[in-house]
Amino acid sequence: GQSGEGPRVAMAVFTTDLYEGRGDLYVAAGIGRQLRASGAGVAYVPVDDWGAVPDGTDAVVAMLPGFRPSLVPTAVRCVAWVRNEMDAWLAHPELALFDGLMVSSEQARAAIARVYDGPTTVLRIGVDPELFSPPLPGEDRHGVVGTVNYWGKERDLHRALQAGPTTVPLAL
């Protein structure tokens, strides 16, 4: 649900189930944590409920190109974070209806500018320092954690890990 006294923001994600391993939810949660820290109310709205954002919502942040701004009342501002699936975003049938776009790189911003006349800004994909931080005094943390989307195509990292044994704990 939403909490906070400031603006009320709905994050349009595929699912709210963290165990599904969807990247859109993880990055939405990171953005949502920062919004809540600044006083905003934040709700996470799964795909089946995109047409029914919570009452009082001021803005929707679309995390996926399947989101349609026409689903929400015109008084609700709609922005999108274009962080992957660039071809789908470039071909989005309702791209012009978004009030603004955040993109993950200058290259993405240049591509979007060819098809979208509205405001854009760069919001890079990064590491959440509250989730990934130095160990606490006396805490023994050794190993490697990585996020690599498979997307139906084996990545160079997968091949490298299969080539030989790892000598440190590893979590992907």
Side-chain angles (χ1 to χ4, degrees):
Q2 292 190 358
S3 63
E5 300 299 322
R8 296 168 60 93
V9 180
M11 308 295 287
V13 294
F14 185 79
T15 181
T16 56
D17 183 352
L18 287 171
Y19 292 103
E20 286 193 32
R22 299 277 313 199
D24 61 296
L25 179 57
Y26 290 117
V27 293
I31 293 170
R33 288 177 49 239
Q34 295 302 313
L35 288 169
R36 282 187 178 188
S38 70
V42 179
Y44 300 91
V45 181
V47 65
D48 292 340
D49 296 330
W50 282 355
V53 296
D55 289 341
T57 296
D58 298 301
V60 172
V61 178
M63 302 299 295
L64 298 165
F67 182 83
R68 299 292 181 259
S70 61
L71 293 173
V72 299
T74 56
V76 176
R77 296 183 56 83
C78 288
V79 297
W81 187 21
V82 179
R83 60 186 177 76
N84 61 9
E85 299 186 70
M86 191 59 151
D87 290 341
W89 282 108
L90 291 171
H92 195 295
E94 295 185 4
L95 194 64
L97 298 181
F98 283 98
D99 295 299
L101 301 176
M102 300 174 287
V103 295
S104 59
S105 70
E106 290 296 339
Q107 182 180 9
R109 190 176 191 178
I112 283 290
R114 290 192 292 272
V115 297
Y116 178 73
D117 293 330
T120 61
T121 190
V122 174
L123 178 61
R124 298 189 191 287
I125 298 172
V127 173
D128 186 336
E130 292 178 13
L131 294 178
F132 299 94
S133 60
L136 299 172
E139 185 179 16
D140 184 21
R141 288 193 319 194
H142 293 76
V144 177
V145 176
T147 59
V148 181
N149 288 321
Y150 190 73
W151 295 113
K153 175 184 170 195
E154 186 175 60
R155 304 293 180 132
D156 290 341
L157 178 60
H158 294 129
R159 283 189 290 280
L161 291 172
Q162 291 169 353
T166 58
T167 58
V168 297
L170 174 69
L172 290 176

